Amino acid sequence: MSTGSVSRHGMWSNRWLFILAAAGSAVGLGNIWKFPYIAGENGGGAFVLIYLVCVAFVGIPIMMAEVLIGREGRQSPINTMRKLTEQHHKSGLWTLIGWAGVVAGFLILSYYVVIAGWALFYVLQMGSGALDGATADSASRLFDEFLSDPWQMIMWQTIFMVMVVYIISKGVIKGLERAIRWFMPLLFVLLCVLLGYAVTSDGWSQGVEFMFRLDFSEVTSESVLIALGQAFFTLSLGMGAIMAYGAYLPSGTSIGSTVTIIALLDTAVAIAAGLAIFPIVFANGLEPSQGPGLMFVTVPLAFGQLPLGVVFGTLFFVLVSFAAITSAISISEPALAYLVEEYNAKRGRVAISLGAISWLLGIGTVLSFNVWADVHIVGQLTYFDFVDYVSQNVMLPLGGMFIALFAAYVLPNTVIGAQLGIKSGAAAVAWKVVCGVIAPAAVLVVFIATLFPDLFNAVIALF
Ligand code: PHE
Protein backbone atom coordinates (compact mmCIF):
# COMPACT_ATOMS: atom_id res chain seq x y z
CA MET A 1 0.00 0.00 0.00
CA SER A 2 1.29 3.44 -0.85
CA THR A 3 0.37 5.02 2.49
CA GLY A 4 3.79 4.13 3.83
CA SER A 5 5.76 5.94 1.12
CA VAL A 6 7.34 9.35 1.33
CA SER A 7 7.28 12.33 -0.99
CA ARG A 8 10.35 13.36 -3.00
CA HIS A 9 9.70 16.98 -1.99
CA GLY A 10 10.22 16.21 1.70
CA MET A 11 7.96 15.35 4.64
CA TRP A 12 6.57 17.32 7.60
CA SER A 13 8.52 16.42 10.71
CA ASN A 14 5.37 15.38 12.58
CA ARG A 15 1.62 15.78 12.84
CA TRP A 16 1.82 19.14 14.60
CA LEU A 17 3.98 20.64 11.94
CA PHE A 18 1.46 19.58 9.35
CA ILE A 19 -1.24 21.22 11.46
CA LEU A 20 0.82 24.40 11.72
CA ALA A 21 1.61 24.39 8.01
CA ALA A 22 -1.99 23.75 6.98
CA ALA A 23 -3.20 26.31 9.50
CA GLY A 24 -0.55 28.67 8.09
CA SER A 25 -2.08 28.10 4.68
CA ALA A 26 -5.64 28.49 5.94
CA VAL A 27 -5.13 31.51 8.20
CA GLY A 28 -4.38 34.48 6.02
CA LEU A 29 -5.94 37.48 4.36
CA GLY A 30 -9.10 35.42 3.98
CA ASN A 31 -9.67 35.50 7.73
CA ILE A 32 -8.44 38.91 8.77
CA TRP A 33 -9.10 41.03 5.72
CA LYS A 34 -11.78 39.30 3.70
CA PHE A 35 -14.11 37.64 6.19
CA PRO A 36 -15.01 40.84 8.08
CA TYR A 37 -15.59 42.84 4.93
CA ILE A 38 -17.78 40.30 3.15
CA ALA A 39 -19.73 39.65 6.37
CA GLY A 40 -20.18 43.43 6.49
CA GLU A 41 -21.37 43.57 2.89
CA ASN A 42 -23.77 40.68 3.37
CA GLY A 43 -25.61 41.84 6.43
CA GLY A 44 -23.66 40.22 9.30
CA GLY A 45 -25.06 37.47 11.58
CA ALA A 46 -27.13 35.38 9.19
CA PHE A 47 -24.22 35.36 6.77
CA VAL A 48 -21.83 34.28 9.55
CA LEU A 49 -24.13 31.38 10.43
CA ILE A 50 -24.37 30.18 6.83
CA TYR A 51 -20.60 30.42 6.57
CA LEU A 52 -20.16 28.28 9.71
CA VAL A 53 -22.53 25.65 8.33
CA CYS A 54 -20.53 25.61 5.09
CA VAL A 55 -17.28 25.12 7.02
CA ALA A 56 -18.71 22.23 9.06
CA PHE A 57 -20.60 20.29 6.40
CA VAL A 58 -18.69 21.13 3.25
CA GLY A 59 -15.29 22.43 4.27
CA ILE A 60 -14.23 19.76 6.76
CA PRO A 61 -15.17 16.75 4.60
CA ILE A 62 -13.53 18.26 1.53
CA MET A 63 -10.39 19.07 3.47
CA MET A 64 -10.29 15.45 4.62
CA ALA A 65 -10.74 14.36 1.01
CA GLU A 66 -7.83 16.54 -0.13
CA VAL A 67 -5.50 15.29 2.57
CA LEU A 68 -6.35 11.66 1.94
CA ILE A 69 -5.90 11.92 -1.83
CA GLY A 70 -2.64 13.81 -1.39
CA ARG A 71 -1.24 11.33 1.10
CA GLU A 72 -2.24 8.41 -1.09
CA GLY A 73 -0.54 9.88 -4.17
CA ARG A 74 2.47 11.58 -2.50
CA GLN A 75 3.02 13.90 -5.48
CA SER A 76 1.80 17.24 -6.83
CA PRO A 77 -2.00 17.25 -7.27
CA ILE A 78 -1.76 16.80 -11.05
CA ASN A 79 0.56 13.81 -10.83
CA THR A 80 -1.26 12.41 -7.82
CA MET A 81 -4.53 12.37 -9.77
CA ARG A 82 -2.77 10.91 -12.78
CA LYS A 83 -1.14 8.18 -10.71
CA LEU A 84 -4.30 7.25 -8.84
CA THR A 85 -6.50 7.12 -11.93
CA GLU A 86 -3.97 4.91 -13.74
CA GLN A 87 -3.48 2.68 -10.73
CA HIS A 88 -7.20 2.13 -10.30
CA HIS A 89 -8.07 2.12 -14.02
CA LYS A 90 -10.26 5.23 -13.92
CA SER A 91 -10.72 8.00 -16.47
CA GLY A 92 -7.73 10.29 -16.89
CA LEU A 93 -10.18 13.21 -17.05
CA TRP A 94 -10.02 13.41 -13.25
CA THR A 95 -6.53 14.84 -13.72
CA LEU A 96 -8.27 18.03 -14.87
CA ILE A 97 -8.97 18.74 -11.20
CA GLY A 98 -5.24 19.20 -10.74
CA TRP A 99 -4.95 21.45 -13.78
CA ALA A 100 -7.92 23.59 -12.80
CA GLY A 101 -6.32 24.00 -9.39
CA VAL A 102 -3.13 25.30 -10.94
CA VAL A 103 -5.06 27.90 -12.96
CA ALA A 104 -7.07 28.94 -9.89
CA GLY A 105 -3.80 29.18 -7.96
CA PHE A 106 -2.29 31.63 -10.46
CA LEU A 107 -5.39 33.80 -10.35
CA ILE A 108 -5.64 33.81 -6.57
CA LEU A 109 -1.94 34.40 -6.03
CA SER A 110 -2.00 37.31 -8.48
CA TYR A 111 -4.39 39.40 -6.38
CA TYR A 112 -3.42 37.92 -3.02
CA VAL A 113 0.05 39.39 -3.41
CA VAL A 114 -1.35 42.84 -4.24
CA ILE A 115 -3.45 42.93 -1.07
CA ALA A 116 -0.59 41.55 1.01
CA GLY A 117 1.45 44.44 -0.42
CA TRP A 118 -1.09 46.80 1.16
CA ALA A 119 -0.36 45.18 4.51
CA LEU A 120 3.37 45.80 3.97
CA PHE A 121 2.65 49.44 3.15
CA TYR A 122 0.77 49.70 6.45
CA VAL A 123 3.73 48.27 8.35
CA LEU A 124 5.66 51.30 7.18
CA GLN A 125 2.83 53.75 7.80
CA MET A 126 2.14 52.47 11.32
CA GLY A 127 5.83 52.17 12.11
CA SER A 128 6.57 55.74 11.08
CA GLY A 129 3.83 57.03 13.35
CA ALA A 130 1.86 58.47 10.41
CA LEU A 131 -1.31 57.01 11.85
CA ASP A 132 -0.70 57.89 15.46
CA GLY A 133 -3.91 59.44 16.78
CA ALA A 134 -5.61 58.94 13.41
CA THR A 135 -9.25 59.93 13.02
CA ALA A 136 -11.80 58.09 10.87
CA ASP A 137 -11.31 60.78 8.26
CA SER A 138 -7.54 60.79 8.17
CA ALA A 139 -7.34 56.96 8.16
CA SER A 140 -9.80 56.73 5.25
CA ARG A 141 -7.97 59.46 3.38
CA LEU A 142 -4.61 57.75 3.71
CA PHE A 143 -6.06 54.53 2.33
CA ASP A 144 -7.79 56.28 -0.58
CA GLU A 145 -4.64 58.14 -1.49
CA PHE A 146 -2.67 54.90 -1.46
CA LEU A 147 -5.21 53.19 -3.73
CA SER A 148 -5.10 56.02 -6.22
CA ASP A 149 -1.37 55.57 -6.81
CA PRO A 150 -0.70 52.51 -9.02
CA TRP A 151 3.10 52.88 -8.87
CA GLN A 152 3.13 52.76 -5.11
CA MET A 153 0.93 49.67 -5.13
CA ILE A 154 3.04 47.96 -7.77
CA MET A 155 6.12 48.62 -5.68
CA TRP A 156 4.63 46.86 -2.62
CA GLN A 157 3.21 44.07 -4.75
CA THR A 158 6.69 43.51 -6.17
CA ILE A 159 8.36 43.50 -2.77
CA PHE A 160 5.89 40.94 -1.46
CA MET A 161 6.20 38.75 -4.55
CA VAL A 162 9.99 38.75 -4.25
CA MET A 163 9.66 37.59 -0.64
CA VAL A 164 7.30 34.78 -1.65
CA VAL A 165 9.52 33.64 -4.51
CA TYR A 166 12.55 33.67 -2.24
CA ILE A 167 10.88 31.45 0.34
CA ILE A 168 9.33 28.98 -2.07
CA SER A 169 12.60 28.61 -3.90
CA LYS A 170 14.29 27.61 -0.64
CA GLY A 171 11.88 24.77 -0.08
CA VAL A 172 8.72 24.90 1.91
CA ILE A 173 9.50 22.63 4.75
CA LYS A 174 12.57 24.04 6.43
CA GLY A 175 12.51 27.66 7.45
CA LEU A 176 8.80 27.78 6.86
CA GLU A 177 8.17 25.29 9.63
CA ARG A 178 10.32 27.36 11.94
CA ALA A 179 8.67 30.65 11.00
CA ILE A 180 5.16 29.34 11.47
CA ARG A 181 5.98 28.08 14.94
CA TRP A 182 6.48 31.70 16.04
CA PHE A 183 4.19 33.73 13.91
CA MET A 184 0.94 31.89 14.33
CA PRO A 185 0.88 32.14 18.15
CA LEU A 186 1.98 35.78 18.00
CA LEU A 187 -0.81 36.57 15.61
CA PHE A 188 -3.25 35.06 18.09
CA VAL A 189 -1.89 37.23 20.87
CA LEU A 190 -2.19 40.41 18.84
CA LEU A 191 -5.70 39.59 17.75
CA CYS A 192 -6.50 39.25 21.44
CA VAL A 193 -5.05 42.73 22.09
CA LEU A 194 -7.26 44.13 19.35
CA LEU A 195 -10.22 42.25 20.76
CA GLY A 196 -9.51 43.70 24.18
CA TYR A 197 -9.58 47.18 22.68
CA ALA A 198 -12.82 46.40 20.86
CA VAL A 199 -14.47 45.12 24.04
CA THR A 200 -13.83 48.40 25.80
CA SER A 201 -14.91 50.56 22.88
CA ASP A 202 -18.34 52.17 22.65
CA GLY A 203 -19.27 50.07 19.67
CA TRP A 204 -18.80 46.63 21.31
CA SER A 205 -22.43 45.66 21.79
CA GLN A 206 -23.38 46.99 18.39
CA GLY A 207 -20.50 45.06 16.81
CA VAL A 208 -21.45 41.83 18.55
CA GLU A 209 -25.04 42.26 17.55
CA PHE A 210 -24.01 42.87 13.96
CA MET A 211 -21.92 39.68 13.88
CA PHE A 212 -24.44 37.40 15.59
CA ARG A 213 -27.93 38.76 15.05
CA LEU A 214 -29.85 36.44 12.79
CA ASP A 215 -31.71 38.49 10.27
CA PHE A 216 -32.34 36.41 7.21
CA SER A 217 -34.14 39.17 5.36
CA GLU A 218 -30.91 40.24 3.68
CA VAL A 219 -29.83 36.74 2.70
CA THR A 220 -29.99 36.07 -1.02
CA SER A 221 -28.80 33.10 -3.06
CA GLU A 222 -25.82 35.25 -3.96
CA SER A 223 -24.82 35.67 -0.32
CA VAL A 224 -25.08 31.91 0.22
CA LEU A 225 -22.74 31.41 -2.72
CA ILE A 226 -20.37 34.00 -1.25
CA ALA A 227 -20.43 32.24 2.15
CA LEU A 228 -19.66 28.93 0.46
CA GLY A 229 -16.88 30.48 -1.61
CA GLN A 230 -15.44 32.03 1.54
CA ALA A 231 -15.47 28.65 3.32
CA PHE A 232 -13.43 27.21 0.46
CA PHE A 233 -11.10 30.18 0.26
CA THR A 234 -10.40 30.45 3.96
CA LEU A 235 -9.71 26.73 4.34
CA SER A 236 -7.52 26.78 1.20
CA LEU A 237 -9.75 24.19 -0.48
CA GLY A 238 -10.68 23.28 -4.01
CA MET A 239 -7.41 24.02 -5.78
CA GLY A 240 -5.02 21.40 -4.47
CA ALA A 241 -3.07 23.44 -1.89
CA ILE A 242 -4.08 21.16 0.96
CA MET A 243 -3.72 18.13 -1.31
CA ALA A 244 -0.14 19.16 -2.01
CA TYR A 245 0.53 19.58 1.72
CA GLY A 246 -1.21 16.27 2.45
CA ALA A 247 1.37 14.57 0.24
CA TYR A 248 3.99 15.42 2.86
CA LEU A 249 1.96 14.15 5.82
CA PRO A 250 3.46 11.16 7.60
CA SER A 251 1.42 7.97 7.40
CA GLY A 252 -0.48 6.92 10.46
CA THR A 253 -1.63 10.42 11.44
CA SER A 254 -5.38 10.60 11.92
CA ILE A 255 -6.84 12.73 9.15
CA GLY A 256 -10.24 13.43 10.75
CA SER A 257 -9.02 14.94 14.01
CA THR A 258 -6.14 16.78 12.36
CA VAL A 259 -8.43 18.45 9.86
CA THR A 260 -10.95 19.39 12.55
CA ILE A 261 -8.25 21.16 14.56
CA ILE A 262 -7.17 23.12 11.48
CA ALA A 263 -10.75 24.16 10.67
CA LEU A 264 -11.39 25.23 14.27
CA LEU A 265 -8.22 27.34 14.39
CA ASP A 266 -9.10 28.98 11.11
CA THR A 267 -12.66 29.74 12.18
CA ALA A 268 -11.54 31.13 15.52
CA VAL A 269 -9.24 33.61 13.80
CA ALA A 270 -11.97 34.76 11.39
CA ILE A 271 -14.52 35.31 14.17
CA ALA A 272 -11.94 37.08 16.35
CA ALA A 273 -11.06 39.37 13.44
CA GLY A 274 -14.72 40.24 12.93
CA LEU A 275 -15.26 40.89 16.64
CA ALA A 276 -12.15 43.05 16.74
CA ILE A 277 -13.09 45.13 13.72
CA PHE A 278 -16.86 45.81 13.80
CA PRO A 279 -17.04 47.51 17.22
CA ILE A 280 -14.42 49.97 16.01
CA VAL A 281 -16.45 50.53 12.84
CA PHE A 282 -19.54 51.41 14.87
CA ALA A 283 -17.73 53.41 17.53
CA ASN A 284 -16.36 55.67 14.78
CA GLY A 285 -19.50 55.99 12.71
CA LEU A 286 -17.99 54.08 9.79
CA GLU A 287 -19.85 51.79 7.39
CA PRO A 288 -19.65 48.02 8.01
CA SER A 289 -20.16 47.47 4.28
CA GLN A 290 -17.27 49.57 3.07
CA GLY A 291 -15.57 46.68 1.24
CA PRO A 292 -11.89 45.78 0.83
CA GLY A 293 -10.68 48.84 2.75
CA LEU A 294 -12.37 47.80 6.01
CA MET A 295 -9.35 46.36 7.82
CA PHE A 296 -6.98 49.00 6.50
CA VAL A 297 -9.05 51.82 7.93
CA THR A 298 -10.37 50.40 11.22
CA VAL A 299 -7.26 48.67 12.52
CA PRO A 300 -4.98 51.73 12.22
CA LEU A 301 -7.80 53.73 13.77
CA ALA A 302 -7.96 51.46 16.81
CA PHE A 303 -4.23 51.24 17.34
CA GLY A 304 -3.88 54.96 16.72
CA GLN A 305 -5.85 55.54 19.95
CA LEU A 306 -3.99 53.04 22.11
CA PRO A 307 -0.96 53.62 24.31
CA LEU A 308 1.95 51.96 22.50
CA GLY A 309 -0.41 51.73 19.54
CA VAL A 310 2.45 52.47 17.15
CA VAL A 311 4.31 49.37 18.32
CA PHE A 312 1.30 47.08 18.42
CA GLY A 313 -0.14 48.40 15.19
CA THR A 314 3.13 47.89 13.35
CA LEU A 315 3.42 44.38 14.75
CA PHE A 316 -0.14 43.64 13.72
CA PHE A 317 0.54 44.43 10.07
CA VAL A 318 3.84 42.55 10.21
CA LEU A 319 1.94 39.49 11.34
CA VAL A 320 -0.80 39.93 8.76
CA SER A 321 1.99 39.99 6.19
CA PHE A 322 3.43 36.78 7.60
CA ALA A 323 0.03 35.12 7.71
CA ALA A 324 -0.30 36.12 4.06
CA ILE A 325 3.14 34.72 3.20
CA THR A 326 2.43 31.31 4.72
CA SER A 327 -0.78 31.22 2.65
CA ALA A 328 0.81 32.51 -0.56
CA ILE A 329 3.43 29.79 -0.37
CA SER A 330 0.78 27.11 -0.24
CA ILE A 331 -1.12 28.62 -3.16
CA SER A 332 1.92 28.17 -5.37
CA GLU A 333 2.88 24.70 -4.12
CA PRO A 334 0.67 22.63 -6.51
CA ALA A 335 2.13 24.29 -9.63
CA LEU A 336 5.64 24.38 -8.20
CA ALA A 337 5.70 20.72 -7.20
CA TYR A 338 4.26 19.73 -10.59
CA LEU A 339 6.89 21.59 -12.60
CA VAL A 340 9.68 20.21 -10.43
CA GLU A 341 8.40 16.66 -10.95
CA GLU A 342 7.66 16.99 -14.62
CA TYR A 343 10.83 18.68 -15.79
CA ASN A 344 13.13 17.74 -12.99
CA ALA A 345 13.59 21.47 -12.75
CA LYS A 346 15.26 23.37 -9.91
CA ARG A 347 12.73 24.80 -7.47
CA GLY A 348 14.42 28.18 -7.69
CA ARG A 349 13.98 28.57 -11.44
CA VAL A 350 10.40 27.37 -11.36
CA ALA A 351 9.64 29.75 -8.50
CA ILE A 352 10.88 32.77 -10.46
CA SER A 353 8.82 32.00 -13.58
CA LEU A 354 5.77 31.28 -11.50
CA GLY A 355 6.17 34.52 -9.58
CA ALA A 356 6.67 36.53 -12.77
CA ILE A 357 3.46 35.26 -14.40
CA SER A 358 1.43 35.86 -11.27
CA TRP A 359 2.94 39.30 -10.80
CA LEU A 360 1.92 40.27 -14.32
CA LEU A 361 -1.64 39.06 -13.76
CA GLY A 362 -1.67 41.08 -10.55
CA ILE A 363 -1.11 44.38 -12.36
CA GLY A 364 -4.74 44.14 -13.47
CA THR A 365 -5.78 44.06 -9.82
CA VAL A 366 -3.64 47.10 -9.02
CA LEU A 367 -5.22 49.06 -11.86
CA SER A 368 -8.74 48.01 -10.83
CA PHE A 369 -8.46 50.37 -7.87
CA ASN A 370 -7.47 53.42 -9.91
CA VAL A 371 -6.89 53.67 -13.68
CA TRP A 372 -9.31 50.84 -14.52
CA ALA A 373 -11.77 51.55 -11.72
CA ASP A 374 -14.51 52.22 -14.26
CA VAL A 375 -13.69 49.32 -16.54
CA HIS A 376 -16.23 46.58 -15.91
CA ILE A 377 -15.60 43.05 -17.12
CA VAL A 378 -19.09 41.72 -16.37
CA GLY A 379 -21.94 43.74 -14.86
CA GLN A 380 -20.45 46.03 -12.22
CA LEU A 381 -17.36 43.87 -11.61
CA THR A 382 -13.93 45.39 -12.07
CA TYR A 383 -11.02 43.17 -13.15
CA PHE A 384 -10.16 42.50 -9.49
CA ASP A 385 -13.79 41.76 -8.55
CA PHE A 386 -14.06 39.44 -11.54
CA VAL A 387 -10.89 37.45 -10.90
CA ASP A 388 -11.76 37.24 -7.21
CA TYR A 389 -15.35 36.16 -7.91
CA VAL A 390 -14.54 33.56 -10.54
CA SER A 391 -11.66 31.99 -8.63
CA GLN A 392 -13.27 32.01 -5.19
CA ASN A 393 -16.94 31.50 -5.94
CA VAL A 394 -16.78 29.34 -9.03
CA MET A 395 -13.45 27.54 -9.39
CA LEU A 396 -12.87 26.60 -5.74
CA PRO A 397 -16.36 25.21 -5.06
CA LEU A 398 -16.44 23.28 -8.34
CA GLY A 399 -12.92 21.95 -7.78
CA GLY A 400 -13.92 20.94 -4.26
CA MET A 401 -17.04 19.20 -5.49
CA PHE A 402 -15.07 17.02 -7.89
CA ILE A 403 -12.44 16.31 -5.26
CA ALA A 404 -15.19 15.10 -2.91
CA LEU A 405 -16.71 12.90 -5.61
CA PHE A 406 -13.30 11.47 -6.41
CA ALA A 407 -12.59 10.67 -2.77
CA ALA A 408 -16.01 9.14 -2.22
CA TYR A 409 -16.58 7.10 -5.39
CA VAL A 410 -13.49 6.82 -7.55
CA LEU A 411 -10.96 5.61 -5.01
CA PRO A 412 -11.53 2.01 -3.88
CA ASN A 413 -13.08 1.61 -0.44
CA THR A 414 -10.01 -0.20 0.79
CA VAL A 415 -7.85 2.83 0.04
CA ILE A 416 -10.28 5.25 1.68
CA GLY A 417 -10.64 2.98 4.72
CA ALA A 418 -6.88 2.66 5.18
CA GLN A 419 -6.27 6.41 4.78
CA LEU A 420 -9.02 7.48 7.14
CA GLY A 421 -8.47 4.64 9.59
CA ILE A 422 -12.09 3.57 9.17
CA LYS A 423 -12.80 0.39 11.09
CA SER A 424 -16.58 0.04 11.19
CA GLY A 425 -19.16 -0.24 8.47
CA ALA A 426 -21.07 2.65 10.02
CA ALA A 427 -18.07 4.96 9.70
CA ALA A 428 -17.68 3.99 6.06
CA VAL A 429 -21.32 4.81 5.40
CA ALA A 430 -21.01 8.11 7.25
CA TRP A 431 -18.07 9.05 5.04
CA LYS A 432 -19.99 8.22 1.86
CA VAL A 433 -22.96 10.27 3.02
CA VAL A 434 -21.00 13.34 4.06
CA CYS A 435 -18.30 13.40 1.39
CA GLY A 436 -20.21 11.68 -1.40
CA VAL A 437 -23.63 13.26 -0.96
CA ILE A 438 -23.92 16.23 1.42
CA ALA A 439 -20.80 18.18 0.45
CA PRO A 440 -21.13 17.86 -3.35
CA ALA A 441 -24.91 18.33 -3.23
CA ALA A 442 -24.51 21.52 -1.21
CA VAL A 443 -22.19 22.95 -3.85
CA LEU A 444 -24.58 21.96 -6.62
CA VAL A 445 -27.65 23.37 -4.89
CA VAL A 446 -25.93 26.67 -4.22
CA PHE A 447 -24.88 26.91 -7.85
CA ILE A 448 -28.35 26.19 -9.13
CA ALA A 449 -29.80 28.68 -6.65
CA THR A 450 -27.42 31.33 -7.94
CA LEU A 451 -28.32 30.61 -11.54
CA PHE A 452 -32.05 30.67 -10.71
CA PRO A 453 -32.38 33.16 -7.85
CA ASP A 454 -36.18 33.39 -8.15
CA LEU A 455 -36.56 29.72 -7.35
CA PHE A 456 -34.28 30.11 -4.33
CA ASN A 457 -36.14 33.12 -3.01
CA ALA A 458 -39.45 31.31 -3.38
CA VAL A 459 -38.12 28.42 -1.26
CA ILE A 460 -36.72 30.80 1.37
CA ALA A 461 -40.10 32.55 1.51
CA LEU A 462 -41.68 29.28 2.56
CA PHE A 463 -39.92 29.48 5.93
N1 PHE B 1 -6.73 30.31 3.00
C1 PHE B 1 -6.01 31.48 2.61
C2 PHE B 1 -6.58 32.67 3.37
O1 PHE B 1 -7.58 32.57 4.03
C3 PHE B 1 -6.03 31.72 1.13
C4 PHE B 1 -5.76 30.52 0.28
C5 PHE B 1 -6.65 30.17 -0.71
C6 PHE B 1 -4.62 29.74 0.48
C7 PHE B 1 -6.44 29.05 -1.50
C8 PHE B 1 -4.39 28.62 -0.30
C9 PHE B 1 -5.30 28.28 -1.28
O2 PHE B 1 -6.05 33.73 3.29
Side-chain angles (χ1 to χ4, degrees), residues 376-392:
H376 298 131
I377 309 278
V378 184
Q380 283 304 304
L381 302 184
T382 61
Y383 171 90
F384 160 69
D385 296 332
F386 180 72
V387 173
D388 180 31
Y389 191 91
V390 169
S391 56
Q392 166 163 341

Side-chain angles (χ1 to χ4, degrees), residues 25-31 108 112 233-236 239 241 327 330-331:
S25 164
V27 174
L29 297 173
N31 310 60
I108 294 175
Y112 205 83
F233 185 82
T234 189
L235 292 173
S236 310
M239 55 143 298
S327 299
S330 72
I331 302 174

Side-chain angles (χ1 to χ4, degrees), residues 260-272:
T260 307
I261 296 174
I262 296 164
L264 284 177
L265 277 175
D266 186 71
T267 306
V269 173
I271 299 284

Side-chain angles (χ1 to χ4, degrees), residues 80-104:
T80 282
M81 299 306 285
R82 187 177 288 160
K83 172 179 154 184
L84 296 179
T85 48
E86 280 169 8
Q87 198 174 337
H88 302 294
H89 311 292
K90 302 291 179 186
S91 164
L93 282 177
W94 289 102
T95 311
L96 286 176
I97 297 177
W99 286 104
V102 167
V103 175

